Amino acid sequence: MLHTLAVLVENNPGVLARISGLFARRAYNIYSLTVCQTENPSLSLMTIVVEGDSQVIEQVTKQLHKQVVVHKVSNLTNEAVVDRELALIRVKVRAETRLEVLQTVDVFRGRVVDMGRSNLTIELTGDEDKINAFIRTMRPYGIQELVRTGKIAIARSDN
Amino acid sequence: MSKCKEDIYFARDPEITWEDVEVLSKHTLNGAKVLLDVMAEEGVEIVFGYPGGALLAVYDALLDSPIKHVLPRHEQTAVHAADAYARVSGKVGVCMATSGPGAANMVTGIANAYMDSVPLVIITGQVPTHLLGTDSFQEVDITGMTLPITKHSYLVKNAKDIPRIVKEAFYIAGTGRPGPVLIDLPKNVMAEEVHDPRPPKIALKSYKYFSKGNAGQIEEAAKALAQSKKPVVYAGGGVITSGAEQVLQELIEKANIPVVTTLMGIGSVPAKHPNYLGMVGMHGTITANLAVNDCDLLIAVGVRFDDRVTSGLKHKFATKAKIIHIDIDPAEIGKVVKAHIPIVGDARLVLEDLLQKVTPLEISPWWEQLRAWAKQYPLSYEQDGRLNPQTILKAMGEIGGENAIVCTDVGQHQMWAAQFYPVTGGRKFITSAGLGTMGFGFPAAIGAQFAKPDSLVFLVTGDGSFQMSIQELATTVQYELPIKIILMNNGVLGMVKQLQKMFCNERFSQIQLHANPDFVKVAEAYGVKGLRIESPEQVDVVLKEAIETPGPVLVDCHISPDEIVLPTLPPGKTITDILEGRE
Ligand SMILES: Cc1ncc(C[n+]2csc(CCOP(=O)(O)OP(=O)(O)O)c2C)c(N)n1
């Protein structure tokens, strides 16, 4: 099962290596990892999607807590959260498919951010499922290039 | 200042010249001086180190510091000496080495301390900050290399941070589950002036450790104990680290519980205590292993269910038992074996609370069973007139007395010492347990002797292990350390030979130590007295002579290359597999 961990860490050089090294040497599987600054410039937030059963996740969490650079670990998996990914996708288009593609982009609330003679570059945000669904829909047209961020997540406010 | 090699080294770095360092170190408070000042304030009395270009400023400042510096003959042995100093004294050990090869030589020592949870502060010199990452002369990324084997590490970029970092390093190393903390100090940072050398108060928001255990869980543990018919305490290094030996003894006596220990836990109860069943695991006693296998309550204290204990069979370990796991590191709980009653806390504090709640147990059938096993399966060895290592170890215990400290190397001799030397208390049996580092023993004996200058310190070593640190004979002579080196000389890498005998059909490969030197002559060449034991009759006389001779003595004991360590519980087998012949 995939778990989403929000790990608040010190914003220092070497911290990423420390955390990713911990995952590597304890043989935990990282599915995706994003790092960003927080509103407090001395802290960064790592959103780590990691695969494992509850026992593995418990160990991961405890091992993370042991790191002096880790301030807080929250498991967002079973929490009410809003999570998002961003994808940039370059799709092949021909004169007769252009309109179809543009309509699909619209349905998914994507945006065209670049246009070539025979391709479109589309920006899409959403949860993982939505992005996967969009990619599936685009595949028949021919995906020339695809980049996507890992997941970022935030807990829903209680009120 | 006379021309020396370091002048050439400094000349490679246009921004700092040797003259700069000299001027800075004489006339201002530089990073190096502040480093030593803060360490002295932290209570550091002794540092084990080896100098080099990147540490010139520190070695210069040492000349004016109250801190004593010891010069072992290798950076790895410097770490091991600091490690054993910490284990024996209970303080944080300190060692240092120069950048590049010096730092890299420390890696094994750091890993060793990490595995056995020993508090160390390691200082490494580093190339100047503007050369970092350029593959400059004697540059290695030591913080990167040691990430997995340090509790924490720092690469210092500004001298003004030195007071805070040094203070934090000692705090992190010595509290909670102890471990090594590394401080990497670029050369220019040590030469930099520091305006305010006073360390701030520790403000580590993200570092916490536990001390007292949860009262509800301790209550649960007491209840489980009251209901148990077959309890066993499984005691490890955490008992000794937290100073819980006394309360453990009170607990087992009050409640009448038997105890087994890990290799790290040896000394947590005196070997001669009637409740002690011996070491558990691969080379433990059959009684200890049967007791763990059959118990209905396992009280695991300061242990980590290492595969040398469980045979790597976590699903077959103590399967009939409810498990109480007491440990200061929450990550140890549930890592290998699921605990029914986890208690996170300092072993001594938890056991003190538990002691208040326990009542004497009526478990005589269990004790009868244990005594029957002990009678049926005693630790034994063949006494056929040849010189046995076991005889020597027992005699050392008798002649050496209560206060002796035993340091061991790694191999068969280590296991014999664990089995047969009667250790009387905590911090008196110093061994490389988790990493099993050959070459640890001799520098460990040096560190131990510095920690307890008045105690008798034995080194039990093998001819393989000893030759990995043999250069330390010079250190023992230089510092007049009266270590008694008991060399179990079998001419082979005995433990590997034993493994090849048992698991490779006696196809022996690369275990003969051809061309061993005459160790007595080697000792004498360094100025260490050398003695020999070749037959069992000589044991007492020669050991007495060794102890009575002032200064270091090496006793070369000629034992058979065919001795094996018994019992042996091979990985992947349980004690019942072995006893019932399921090999
Ligand atoms: C640094 C290191 N290298 C290799 C080993 C593997 N090893 C374990 S025991 C042993 C033999 C030790 O020989 P010796 O010190 O003579 O002791 P003996 O077993 O003969 O008592 C070896 C090679 C080790 N533990 N450490």
Side-chain angles (χ1 to χ4, degrees), chain B residues 410-413 416 436-438 462-465 468 490 492-496 513:
Chain B
V410 170
Q412 291 181 310
H413 60 277
W416 289 319
T437 315
M438 288 171 69
D463 43 331
S465 297
M468 287 203 180
N490 54 10
V492 290
L493 299 171
M495 187 56 99
V496 180
L513 292 172

Side-chain angles (χ1 to χ4, degrees), chain B residues 235-435:
Chain B
V239 170
I240 294 167
T241 307
S242 73
E245 300 95 328
Q246 182 63 34
V247 59
L248 175 66
Q249 204 167 314
E250 286 172 34
L251 182 83
I252 57 169
E253 285 169 7
K254 184 173 174 191
N256 193 25
I257 323 171
V259 196
V260 303
T261 63
T262 64
L263 184 59
M264 282 298 288
I266 285 181
S268 56
V269 282
K272 293 194 169 139
H273 195 285
N275 293 30
Y276 185 49
L277 308 180
M279 182 167 73
V280 66
M282 185 163 177
H283 295 298
T285 64
I286 293 180
T287 311
N289 283 309
L290 282 171
V292 169
N293 189 61
D294 210 42
C295 68
D296 67 0
L297 182 72
L298 187 70
I299 307 162
V301 194
V303 294
R304 54 188 179 86
F305 294 84
D306 179 69
D307 54 275
R308 273 294 184 270
V309 169
T310 64
S311 298
L313 299 168
K314 55 183 181 179
H315 301 298
K316 291 190 181 169
F317 186 72
T319 46
K320 301 171 194 166
K322 194 176 237 188
I323 296 177
I324 301 171
H325 191 179
I326 301 167
D327 204 284
I328 198 157
D329 180 359
E332 279 309 329
I333 289 175
K335 185 182 84 177
V336 178
V337 167
K338 192 174 146 41
H340 303 89
I341 308 177
I343 305 177
V344 179
D346 176 84
R348 181 174 61 81
L349 299 177
V350 172
L351 292 182
E352 277 170 7
D353 288 347
L354 187 60
L355 178 66
Q356 303 309 315
K357 297 195 156 59
V358 302
T359 45
L361 300 182
E362 185 28 70
I363 49 167
S364 35
W366 180 227
W367 271 113
E368 270 160 38
Q369 174 68 78
L370 295 170
R371 288 202 188 97
W373 282 332
K375 199 159 167 212
Q376 190 178 354
Y377 306 112
L379 268 182
S380 59
Y381 56 97
E382 255 177 73
Q383 280 159 295
D384 54 2
R386 54 168 202 230
L387 177 64
N388 299 109
Q390 296 91 340
T391 313
I392 301 170
L393 287 155
K394 283 181 159 175
M396 284 164 60
E398 274 155 36
I399 301 169
E402 294 267 303
N403 292 323
I405 296 168
V406 175
C407 301
T408 84
D409 251 307
V410 170
Q412 291 181 310
H413 60 277
Q414 176 190 31
M415 291 300 120
W416 289 319
Q419 294 174 330
F420 290 93
Y421 185 89
V423 180
T424 55
R427 305 192 183 279
K428 289 185 183 159
F429 185 77
I430 307 302
T431 198
S432 166
L435 198 66

Side-chain angles (χ1 to χ4, degrees), chain B residues 46 48 68 70 85 445-453 457 475 479 481:
Chain B
I46 189 166
F48 300 88
K68 180 182 169 82
V70 175
Y85 176 85
I446 290 171
Q449 190 76 76
F450 274 111
K452 290 263 177 187
V457 174
T475 314
Y479 298 95
L481 304 173

Side-chain angles (χ1 to χ4, degrees), chain A residues 122-138:
Chain A
I122 301 146
E123 171 196 310
L124 187 77
T125 60
D127 62 17
E128 195 186 353
D129 288 346
K130 175 178 160 186
I131 289 174
N132 287 344
F134 182 72
I135 291 168
R136 263 198 311 276
T137 331
M138 286 299 110

